[in-house]
Amino acid sequence: MKPSIFPRPTEIAHEWLRHVIEPGDRVIDATLGNGHDALFLAQCVGERGKVFGFDVQEQALRSATDHLRSRGISDEVYEWHLVSHARLGEWVTVPVKAVMFNLGYLPGADHGLITTAEETLAALLAAAELIVPGGMLTVVCYPGHEGGEREALAVKEWAIAQGACWHVVHYEKLATQQAAPELIAMQKKEVRS
Ligand SMILES: C[S@@+](CC[C@H](N)C(=O)[O-])C[C@H]1O[C@@H](n2cnc3c(N)ncnc32)[C@H](O)[C@@H]1O
């Protein structure tokens, strides 16, 4: 069977983020993992920009560093923190253009070590404070694993409640055999003067 023409949620997130991130911007990867999203962000912000990254596993930080170095990204462009994204506001105090979340577990590592609804919501609150008007927040949720459905629901409820100040979009494949990953993307509204 040919693959469908519909992009995966992570691909859509990158596509939309490309519209708002500019060279020199500061951005956050709230779930570093193996560094695929961080590489994308580093390429968007370029040598004058900065990618702040968070993960709770040392293995993820090492893997992300290797990935970015192997693609020629200068160490000056990124700054990793081995701490829960729930505390990102303690480490990043400057405004940022975008924050990415790719929830769940680290592929190839302990599948029991996953993001949780409580920490994710705390991180979303902190991230939303830091994002400038016109900036974006993207969250890829995985309702297929234990706890993932509750987490995805919590993210969607939170996102819907932000409708006064954010444009909120939801992308999900329907009629799949297993619960498919979902993207919640939000752009902070710009106040007209
Ligand atoms: C699906 S992976 C991320 C994929 C990654 N963005 C990439 O491009 O390779 C999810 C990551 O979230 C991390 N994680 C779990 N709980 C976390 C927390 N409280 N704060 C930050 N990262 C967390 C896991 O260790 C895992 O590496």
Side-chain angles (χ1 to χ4, degrees):
M1 207 192 321
K2 276 190 176 175
S4 92
I5 60 155
F6 300 114
R8 289 178 306 193
T10 44
E11 293 169 328
I12 293 274
H14 289 191
E15 181 58 31
W16 289 344
L17 285 162
R18 257 187 217 109
H19 288 286
V20 301
I21 303 175
E22 292 168 311
D25 279 342
R26 301 186 196 100
V27 296
I28 299 177
D29 185 342
T31 50
L32 260 183
N34 290 318
H36 299 289
D37 296 317
L39 173 64
F40 160 76
L41 291 170
Q43 288 169 334
C44 289
V45 300
E47 292 202 342
R48 290 183 296 110
K50 181 71 92 186
V51 182
F52 299 99
F54 292 83
D55 206 292
V56 287
Q57 301 193 61
E58 248 181 88
Q59 184 185 339
L61 267 59
R62 276 198 305 272
S63 176
T65 302
D66 290 348
H67 191 50
L68 268 67
R69 283 187 180 157
S70 74
R71 303 299 287 268
I73 304 293
S74 155
D75 292 359
E76 303 288 305
V77 173
Y78 54 89
E79 181 182 307
W80 300 160
H81 296 279
L82 183 60
V83 62
S84 169
H85 46 211
R87 296 177 51 200
L88 67 83
E90 294 171 36
W91 300 94
V92 183
T93 52
V94 290
V96 299
K97 183 61 85 58
V99 183
M100 290 190 76
F101 288 78
N102 191 343
L103 303 176
Y105 52 78
L106 180 63
D110 179 2
H111 287 194
L113 223 169
I114 53 172
T115 53
T116 64
E118 289 70 24
E119 302 234 330
T120 299
L121 283 181
L124 287 171
L125 282 178
E129 283 289 311
L130 293 173
I131 295 175
V132 296
M136 270 188 86
L137 177 58
T138 64
V139 190
V140 176
C141 303
Y142 297 86
H145 64 69
E146 177 109 21
E149 193 174 351
R150 192 171 83 85
E151 185 179 35
L153 199 61
V155 171
K156 281 181 277 188
E157 282 176 356
W158 176 82
I160 290 166
Q162 311 310 309
C165 300
W166 295 75
H167 303 287
V168 182
V169 171
H170 178 220
Y171 174 82
E172 176 191 9
K173 286 185 188 172
L174 298 175
T176 53
Q177 283 179 341
Q178 290 162 346
E182 307 173 36
L183 168 67
I184 293 95
M186 304 168 59
Q187 184 180 26
K188 199 178 251 188
K189 291 180 182 172
E190 298 188 70
V191 186
R192 288 202 192 141
S193 52

